[in-house]
Amino acid sequence: MASVNFKKLKSGGDVKAMLRHCDKEERLKHEHSNKEINKDLTYKNITFVKADYRTTCKRFDDRIKTLDETTNTNKRKDRVQAFGLTIPACKDMSDDESRHFFQDVIKHMIQKFGKDNIIWAGVHYDEIHEYVDGKNIETSRAHMHVYVVPEINGKLDGKTFSSKANMIALNNEIDSIARDKYKIIFLTNDKPRKKSVEELKVDSVRALKAEAKRLSESIQRGNETVKSQAEHIQRQSNEITRLNNIITKQNGTIDELNIAISEVQKDDAVMAKLEQSLGMRSRRKQKSRIIQHDYDNYER
């Protein structure tokens, strides 16, 4: 549900911290806790109050000083010195439509709150990103920041400024601008979020960090398993190497035996030729027949 977010700023330090965050030049100089800021898109941001950071801070200080020295009677230490109003663009608005829409909204706010009380106003197009809302992935919208001194009848009156009736009135007035001129709805009457987009951003980051941690632990367990398997494979490889060495040695022994047998066979062949040449072959055969004759008689 699109609606204006009201943020109380009780001290001058709080106000100036937000002014520094929003100023285009300061935005480019510094790193921010909001990691979704894309500085490559900061050039698209719009500033309606044409003044640098220091001049804007002085303008705020001067406004509070003027009120305190004239009509303001609220001197409490915990008083609200300014409100940060955040107004999102209507859903599905193009950048061009949103620029004109925000121009109309700030004109209305100047008339409503007084030009002297509008310390700074501008639009951020460099924070558009995806975030998790429940189970859904949503895309944030361009939004306008307006920093307003809550002066009512010459007095700092944050309670009245942010009363339920006044918040409803401002939302309805912006919705009328959207409907009448742009034929689009600002207050969509969707079920309101329990958390703001900024809170959802934080939740998204936490969820992503938790998922990253889970994946990291899973990878670590996987690495340990791989390491264990690698060690097992190495042991098997070492055993295979050992057996291959034994087989190689045995093959060497077999080769040596085969060579020896071959040499013996060569010697037998030589001896056979020699016997043949010397006439010994017939005598060997005769002797063999005598032995066979004796064996046959023995069998009887």
Side-chain angles (χ1 to χ4, degrees), residues 106-292:
I106 192 59
K107 287 178 183 177
H108 174 75
M109 287 191 170
I110 289 172
Q111 292 178 349
K112 183 178 180 71
F113 301 126
K115 184 177 181 179
D116 290 341
N117 290 326
I118 304 293
I119 302 302
W120 188 90
V123 183
H124 288 161
Y125 288 96
D126 60 357
E127 294 184 20
I128 298 174
H129 68 283
E130 292 183 341
Y131 63 94
V132 179
D133 185 2
K135 296 182 179 180
N136 300 321
I137 296 178
E138 304 287 351
T139 301
S140 63
R141 308 176 199 172
H143 54 275
M144 180 166 68
H145 290 290
V146 183
Y147 294 96
V148 187
V149 173
E151 178 264 319
I152 298 176
N153 298 324
K155 178 183 177 182
L156 289 177
D157 191 348
K159 184 176 181 179
T160 300
F161 185 90
S162 62
S163 67
K164 184 176 180 179
N166 282 338
M167 287 193 291
I168 291 173
L170 179 59
N171 276 289
N172 286 336
E173 290 157 8
I174 295 174
D175 186 56
S176 294
I177 293 171
R179 289 173 184 268
D180 295 344
K181 188 169 182 178
Y182 299 93
K183 310 304 178 186
I184 196 169
I185 300 172
F186 177 70
L187 296 175
T188 58
N189 293 321
D190 293 338
K191 184 178 180 180
R193 298 188 187 96
K194 294 182 180 179
K195 296 183 178 181
S196 67
V197 171
E198 293 301 322
E199 290 172 326
L200 290 171
K201 287 180 188 177
V202 173
D203 289 347
S204 297
V205 172
R206 287 175 180 168
L208 290 173
K209 286 182 178 179
E211 179 64 10
K213 182 180 179 181
R214 186 189 69 78
L215 290 174
S216 177
E217 291 173 349
S218 177
I219 291 170
Q220 180 63 31
R221 290 193 297 270
N223 288 340
E224 291 173 356
T225 300
V226 170
K227 181 180 178 181
S228 176
Q229 291 175 339
E231 291 173 350
H232 177 67
I233 291 170
Q234 185 61 48
R235 288 194 296 271
Q236 289 182 323
S237 177
N238 293 340
E239 180 63 14
I240 290 171
T241 300
R242 187 183 70 82
L243 293 174
N244 282 336
N245 290 336
I246 292 173
I247 291 170
T248 300
K249 290 179 181 179
Q250 290 177 340
N251 286 338
T253 302
I254 291 171
D255 289 341
E256 291 175 357
L257 290 173
N258 285 333
I259 292 171
I261 291 169
S262 177
E263 293 297 325
V264 170
Q265 289 174 342
K266 288 179 181 179
D267 291 344
D268 285 346
V270 171
M271 288 301 295
K273 287 183 180 181
L274 182 60
E275 287 176 354
Q276 184 178 11
S277 65
L278 295 175
M280 297 176 66
R281 185 177 181 184
S282 60
R283 288 197 295 271
R284 289 176 64 187
K285 287 183 177 180
Q286 183 179 6
K287 184 177 181 181
S288 176
R289 285 197 295 271
I290 292 171
I291 293 172
Q292 182 66 43

Side-chain angles (χ1 to χ4, degrees), residues 97-110:
E97 287 177 321
S98 67
R99 288 187 189 95
H100 290 93
F101 170 70
F102 287 130
Q103 286 175 352
D104 290 332
V105 171
I106 192 59
K107 287 178 183 177
H108 174 75
M109 287 191 170
I110 289 172

